[in-house]
């Protein structure tokens, strides 16, 4: 019997095997979702009881609170049964664009709630082998119920795209802030780096490594406080999250000419050149390797300490005006990162304190000597952070206040031209890719998500947005 079973299995066509795998994944997801929903509901009930006991509520007040909670659970079940789609949102404006898609400010038609909608093209995810990464991003946004991580409220998909509906943070991102300023003061740098330490630690505690910590991914809320975003390169403990990345940067080293040109610039010219090229790098497929730790490039294995290296590079950029390894080409930047012992230097014309310099060198060094290798407390107790009240830092005014005029204020974002990413026939797809999309669409199964606490700022769509809508 064993031989017969083995023989019949080996004679299966690849198409049949894939259909079997698809059926198995579908069934596993269906029942695991049922169990998860039940467990989440029980946890919410237990949390409610615990809070009521802590508040010392009377029996009648508890009864009213339980009744309100039960109604909310019923509404949530109804929401879970409804199929969410593009037609439920009104697109107001494009506020971000990257290699695999874009981000739009949208408003939910039935509630008026304002969100940021991240749109990712499925064909690109498959072609660039990013399915594991986008799955990791979706999973961590579901798990990370933290003040330090951008909150995701819904996720869904259609034939062409994946959609993440997230809270809209009107303060823009750290890249934009750094582009506006020449440098930040040490006081402001202390504030932003301290908040980012807490944000990175919050995802490390969930067992995730971000791997793409850079100013573009540090968002600012309406009060100017940091939230971590963009977990597209995040790697975690699940097998589905592990795929190769940054494969080809070491293959084509640049000529000595570009190296000499950039090295001979003074700090002011380096900063100007960096800022001139920065946005183009942010939107390109290659991106910039400036913030990536050397051990990630080596592909011999790395751990969460790679995120602390990236934070050291950001700290350098805040104080000096450009990152320490910036060059005219990604290949030359890669060479500088790999030779950091010689290339990590501080320009004498931009003086910074010894405390700041010491912390940067503690971040950007060998893994075994890197600050944070023992515990995050090692970073928090560094002399550079003297006087920081970590327990209340988010409740206090930000180092640089953010002025927000309305719930849909996009003045802290770049202007982007309209695109046709939401038009079904707009995305150019080859015949082979279209076949792949049909055959492999099951890899995106269980992507749909709805958060129990799903409310954001509410308001009508402004008339000026409607008239100039994108």
């Amino acid at each position: 019997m064993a031989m017969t079973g083995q023989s019949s299995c080996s004679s299966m066509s690849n198409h049949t095997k894939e259909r079997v795998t698809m059926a198995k994944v579908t069934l596993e997801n269906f029942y695991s979702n049922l169990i998860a929903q039940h467990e989440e509901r029980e946890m919410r009930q237990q949390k409610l009881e615990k809070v009521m006991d802590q508040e010392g509520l009377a029996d009648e007040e508890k009864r009213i609170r339980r009744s309100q909670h039960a109604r909310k659970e019923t509404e949530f079940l109804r929401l879970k049964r409804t199929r969410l789609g593009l037609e439920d949102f009104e697109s107001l404006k494009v506020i971000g664009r990257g290699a695999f898609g874009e981000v739009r400010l949208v408003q939910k038609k039935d509630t008026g709630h304002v969100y940021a909608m991240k749109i990712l093209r499925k064909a690109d995810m498959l072609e660039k082998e990013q399915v594991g990464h986008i799955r990791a991003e979706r999973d961590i946004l579901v798990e990370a119920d933290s003040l330090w991580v951008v909150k995701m409220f819904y996720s869904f998909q259609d034939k062409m795209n994946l959609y993440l509906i997230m809270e809209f943070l009107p303060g823009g991102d750290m890249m934009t802030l750094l582009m506006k300023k020449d440098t930040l003061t040490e006081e402001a740098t202390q504030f932003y780096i301290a908040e980012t330490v807490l944000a990175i630690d919050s995802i490390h505690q969930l067992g995730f490594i971000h791997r793409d910590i850079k100013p573009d991914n540090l968002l600012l809320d309406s009060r100017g406080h940091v939230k971590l975003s963009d977990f597209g390169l995040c790697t975690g403990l699940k097998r589905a999250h592990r795929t190769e990345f940054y494969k080809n940067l070491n293959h084509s080293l640049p000529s000595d000419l570009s190296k000499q040109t950039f090295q001979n610039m003074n700090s002011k010219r380096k900063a100007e050149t960096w800022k001139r090229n920065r946005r183009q790098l942010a939107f390109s497929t290659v991106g910039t390797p400036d913030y990536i730790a050397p051990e990630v490039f080596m592909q011999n294995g790395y751990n969460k300490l790679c995120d602390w290296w990236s934070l050291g590079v950001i700290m350098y950029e805040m104080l000096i005006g450009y990152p320490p390894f910036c060059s005219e080409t990604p290949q030359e930047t890669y060479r500088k990162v790999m030779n950091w012992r010689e290339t990590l230097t501080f320009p004498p014309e931009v003086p910074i304190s010894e405390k700041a310099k010491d912390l940067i060198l503690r971040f950007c060094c060998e893994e075994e000597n890197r600050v944070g290798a023992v515990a995050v407390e090692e970073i928090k107790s560094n002399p550079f952070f003297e006087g920081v009240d970590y327990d209340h830092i988010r409740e206090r005014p930000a180092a640089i206040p953010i002025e927000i005029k309305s719930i849909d204020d996009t003045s802290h974002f770049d202007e982007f031209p309209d695109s046709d990413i939401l038009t079904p026939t707009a995305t150019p797809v080859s015949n082979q890719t279209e076949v792949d999309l049909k055959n492999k669409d099951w890899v995106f199964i269980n992507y749909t998500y709805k958060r129990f606490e799903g409310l954001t700022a509410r308001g009508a769509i402004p008339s000026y947005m409607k008239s100039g809508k994108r």
Side-chain angles (χ1 to χ4, degrees):
M1 287 295 288
M3 289 290 289
T4 307
Q6 190 176 358
S7 171
S8 62
C9 183
S10 61
S11 62
M12 264 190 215
S13 68
N14 287 334
H15 174 73
T16 303
K17 287 178 183 176
E18 191 160 272
R19 299 294 292 181
V20 169
T21 304
M22 180 175 153
K24 181 184 174 186
V25 170
T26 304
L27 286 169
E28 284 176 353
N29 277 295
F30 176 77
Y31 287 108
S32 65
N33 283 341
L34 283 181
I35 294 168
Q37 286 173 27
H38 175 73
E39 290 174 347
E40 287 167 8
R41 186 164 182 155
E42 289 291 311
M43 283 175 61
R44 289 194 290 266
Q45 186 66 43
Q46 291 169 14
K47 186 177 179 181
L48 174 67
E49 296 295 333
K50 185 177 179 181
V51 169
M52 291 193 299
D53 288 340
Q54 288 173 348
E55 293 177 1
L57 299 182
D59 288 345
E60 180 60 19
E61 289 174 319
K62 285 184 177 180
R63 186 190 65 77
I64 294 170
R65 190 79 70 87
R66 289 189 189 106
S67 177
Q68 291 171 341
H69 180 78
R71 280 200 298 274
K72 198 167 184 179
E73 288 284 5
T74 302
E75 290 170 9
F76 184 57
L77 281 175
R78 191 178 296 117
L79 174 67
K80 294 277 276 187
R81 286 194 293 268
T82 59
R83 188 179 181 86
L84 209 59
L86 266 182
E87 63 279 2
D88 296 297
F89 298 90
E90 182 145 9
S91 178
L92 304 181
K93 190 176 183 181
V94 179
I95 57 174
R97 184 160 289 144
F100 302 117
E102 66 185 33
V103 180
R104 293 188 176 215
L105 180 68
V106 299
Q107 190 162 37
K108 198 161 184 286
K109 292 177 181 177
D110 61 346
T111 63
H113 299 158
V114 173
Y115 300 96
M117 174 190 279
K118 184 173 182 177
I119 307 163
L120 297 164
R121 291 182 291 267
K122 284 184 177 180
D124 289 342
M125 298 294 104
L126 289 168
E127 185 182 347
K128 304 294 183 183
E129 299 178 348
Q130 295 295 296
V131 174
H133 294 140
I134 190 60
R135 173 66 64 180
E137 177 173 34
R138 181 253 183 221
D139 288 353
I140 194 172
L141 287 171
V142 168
E143 288 184 44
D145 189 9
S146 165
L147 288 171
W148 298 108
V149 175
V150 61
K151 193 181 289 290
M152 181 180 75
F153 294 102
Y154 313 106
S155 61
F156 57 91
Q157 61 180 299
D158 58 23
K159 181 181 176 183
M160 301 306 298
N161 300 316
L162 301 173
Y163 303 90
L164 296 168
I165 308 298
M166 298 180 290
E167 64 178 318
F168 170 55
L169 299 178
D173 60 38
M174 185 60 63
M175 181 188 80
T176 304
L177 182 66
L178 292 177
M179 295 282 283
K180 289 177 182 175
K181 308 279 184 181
D182 287 332
T183 56
L184 300 186
T185 64
E186 293 210 3
E187 184 181 12
T189 300
Q190 182 201 61
F191 169 80
Y192 291 119
I193 296 297
E195 287 212 331
T196 308
V197 166
L198 297 176
I200 293 172
D201 183 54
S202 72
I203 65 163
H204 285 178
Q205 289 182 30
L206 291 173
F208 287 91
I209 308 167
H210 192 286
R211 293 200 307 170
D212 199 24
I213 300 293
K214 56 186 178 182
D216 322 46
N217 295 335
L218 303 181
L219 302 188
L220 301 174
D221 67 15
S222 59
R223 295 177 58 242
H225 291 272
V226 168
K227 286 202 177 192
L228 203 53
S229 77
D230 203 339
F231 298 88
L233 294 186
C234 188
T235 185
L237 302 178
K238 299 180 181 178
R239 184 176 58 186
H241 297 167
R242 295 176 186 152
T243 52
E244 295 296 320
F245 204 72
Y246 299 116
K247 292 176 181 175
N248 302 315
L249 270 177
N250 57 345
H251 291 334
S252 53
L253 291 177
S255 68
D256 288 339
L257 179 62
S258 65
K259 177 172 69 175
Q260 290 300 323
T261 304
F262 205 86
Q263 282 181 349
N264 292 337
M265 292 181 185
N266 61 26
S267 291
K268 186 176 180 182
R269 284 193 62 204
K270 275 187 180 180
E272 288 170 354
T273 304
W274 169 250
K275 288 182 178 181
R276 190 168 59 247
N277 298 330
R278 184 63 173 86
R279 294 202 186 282
Q280 187 178 350
L281 284 168
F283 306 144
S284 72
T285 309
V286 177
T288 170
D290 280 88
Y291 308 94
I292 299 167
E295 63 266 23
V296 175
F297 286 126
M298 292 171 70
Q299 299 186 24
N300 293 329
Y302 52 87
N303 54 35
K304 64 184 181 182
L305 295 177
C306 68
D307 288 340
W308 300 130
W309 169 286
S310 304
L311 189 57
V313 176
I314 294 172
M315 182 175 170
Y316 183 107
E317 182 177 356
M318 287 177 173
L319 294 170
I320 304 298
Y322 54 88
F325 311 110
C326 69
S327 303
E328 292 189 348
T329 66
Q331 290 80 17
E332 174 60 15
T333 299
Y334 164 82
R335 189 196 66 79
K336 283 187 175 182
V337 171
M338 299 308 292
N339 293 282
W340 60 268
R341 290 175 181 83
E342 289 77 38
T343 57
L344 179 53
T345 58
F346 296 87
E349 64 269 29
V350 188
I352 64 174
S353 71
E354 288 302 317
K355 285 182 180 179
K357 194 180 294 186
D358 176 72
L359 180 55
I360 291 170
L361 293 173
R362 292 293 314 281
F363 278 132
C364 298
C365 65
E366 304 89 348
E367 279 184 276
E368 57 270 22
N369 297 325
R370 198 171 299 163
V371 66
V374 177
V376 72
E377 297 303 325
E378 187 185 5
I379 301 175
K380 292 162 72 173
S381 61
N382 186 276
F384 180 77
F385 295 120
E386 185 178 358
V388 172
D389 182 0
Y390 290 100
D391 293 333
H392 302 97
I393 191 170
R394 201 171 186 93
E395 300 160 20
R396 302 196 170 161
I400 300 175
I402 300 290
E403 187 180 339
I404 303 296
K405 298 181 181 67
S406 63
I407 61 170
D408 51 15
D409 184 358
T410 59
S411 59
H412 297 282
F413 293 84
D414 286 340
E415 291 292 325
F416 292 91
D418 198 7
S419 78
D420 51 12
I421 193 172
L422 298 180
T423 307
T425 57
T427 309
V429 179
S430 67
N431 290 337
Q432 183 58 46
T433 308
E434 193 163 358
V435 170
D436 285 345
L437 271 174
K438 288 178 180 176
N439 291 342
K440 296 180 181 177
D441 199 50
W442 66 271
V443 301
F444 300 109
I445 197 167
N446 203 32
Y447 193 78
T448 302
Y449 172 77
K450 297 184 179 76
R451 186 175 289 277
F452 181 70
E453 300 291 343
L455 301 178
T456 57
R458 183 169 184 166
I461 300 174
S463 56
Y464 72 89
M465 278 286 191
K466 284 185 173 179
S467 59
K469 192 174 61 188
R470 300 183 177 189

